Amino acid sequence: MSGPFTFEPDRIYRMPVLFGPTPGPRQRLDDSRWHGSPSPHQTTVWADFTADRGRLESLLPEGFRLDGTPTVRVRFRYLTRIAWLAGRGYNILDLAVPVVYEGGADPVRGDLVLVLWESLADPIISGREELGYAKLYAEIPPARGAADAGYVAAHASWDGFTFAALSVEGIGDPKPAGSGDAEAPLLHVKYMPSTTGTGVPDAHYVTVTPADYPKRRVLDRRTGTRATVEFTAGDFDRLPTLYHITGQLAGLGLSETTACGVLTTLGGKNLSDQYPAP
């Protein structure tokens, strides 16, 4: 007769834990790592917008300050050929703000991810628990238009109600591609509530995604001349679990485009280099 369930050391578990270690982006079931063809293939439609300083600062937790001009980067990302999903893909919408985190032993400069929506449950579950990403679910269909045609439009919805839309226009010819993809570190506020319901969390700290992507290769890089973004606040009837977020995003005053474009890359990393901010 077999003994009771026990946890294996140095393995990753997620609920439901009683079935053993969990396969995912940072662990195969046999405890090996994902290798083989570069993964994923990713197309990013992005734009930077100036924002109302006061409203943006009201979203920053203690220890954070804005880094330069109050700016929000809006990104729609379309991922395919994902190894840990057996070649499947999913889509992402995220918003990030350039900040400096001074709440730890050493200042950390990077982009604070305010919120991130994904179109599939599996990356949401692994990214929230293991990495501390602020992930939610949304319907994010393929983008309309094409970079070659000079125009791309993207949107996200929940139960059929569109709450975010981004368009990039005047997309030019490709610029030189190559290795790597320079990005700032990404900062996240990891918060896991306690079952006691007392308001004291089981986990609450800042995590960092390093900017190093040694296996990423830029396939196509283009800039646009103009971008527009619209967040629709909705209400309890239309977005019962999101309207407290979309309402604040709609009030950020995102109007002036400072930069925009479309980026296509191949390869990435499994984010096992994620670490708590010192």
Side-chain angles (χ1 to χ4, degrees):
M1 183 177 180
S2 60
F5 172 85
T6 58
F7 287 92
E8 300 176 35
D10 302 321
R11 299 301 305 277
I12 298 174
Y13 289 81
R14 291 194 302 271
M15 295 173 61
V17 299
L18 301 183
F19 297 91
T22 309
R26 286 161 291 282
Q27 173 180 266
R28 296 174 67 123
L29 201 57
D30 61 3
D31 198 26
S32 65
R33 297 297 179 95
W34 294 104
H35 299 287
S37 301
S39 171
H41 182 279
Q42 177 172 289
T43 297
T44 302
V45 183
W46 65 273
D48 292 345
F49 298 91
T50 56
D52 180 273
R53 178 176 291 274
R55 292 187 177 182
L56 195 55
E57 287 179 335
S58 70
L59 294 175
L60 302 186
E62 185 176 355
F64 286 85
R65 63 175 173 84
L66 294 176
D67 189 10
T69 303
T71 302
V72 175
R73 171 163 289 187
V74 181
R75 298 190 301 179
F76 278 84
R77 292 182 281 162
Y78 303 88
L79 285 67
T80 58
R81 310 179 204 171
I82 300 175
W84 69 273
L85 288 175
R88 296 172 177 83
Y90 59 92
N91 303 325
I92 301 171
L93 162 62
D94 63 23
L95 284 80
V97 180
V99 298
V100 179
Y101 175 61
E102 300 173 318
D106 299 306
V108 181
R109 176 173 273 106
D111 291 342
L112 173 63
V113 179
L114 300 177
V115 60
L116 186 156
W117 281 277
E118 292 179 324
S119 63
L120 190 68
D122 304 73
I124 297 174
I125 294 169
S126 62
R128 283 169 64 108
E129 296 179 0
E130 294 169 30
L131 304 176
Y133 277 37
K135 294 189 174 191
L136 296 167
Y137 171 77
E139 300 145 3
I140 308 174
R144 303 186 306 277
D148 287 337
Y151 171 82
V152 177
H155 74 275
S157 61
W158 187 89
D159 196 28
F161 180 82
T162 298
F163 62 83
L166 173 70
S167 64
V168 176
E169 302 174 19
I171 301 170
D173 295 330
K175 295 185 176 181
S179 300
D181 178 25
E183 293 182 1
L186 299 179
L187 287 81
H188 321 262
V189 178
K190 181 173 183 174
Y191 186 97
M192 296 294 167
S194 169
T195 304
T196 62
T198 60
V200 178
D202 284 342
H204 184 196
Y205 54 88
V206 175
T207 66
V208 181
T209 306
D212 185 28
Y213 288 79
K215 295 184 179 180
R216 177 179 288 177
R217 184 162 59 94
V218 176
L219 303 180
D220 191 278
R221 188 196 309 267
R222 305 173 188 234
T223 58
T225 60
R226 179 176 178 268
T228 58
V229 67
E230 181 179 5
F231 287 97
T232 304
D235 53 22
F236 174 76
D237 288 334
R238 294 171 177 83
L239 299 173
T241 63
L242 296 177
Y243 76 104
H244 67 296
I245 300 172
T246 54
Q248 295 190 63
L249 297 182
L252 287 178
L254 305 182
S255 57
E256 181 183 353
T257 307
T258 58
C260 59
V262 178
L263 176 70
T264 304
T265 61
L266 182 63
K269 61 181 178 180
N270 64 12
L271 302 179
S272 59
D273 56 353
Q274 183 88 343
Y275 67 91

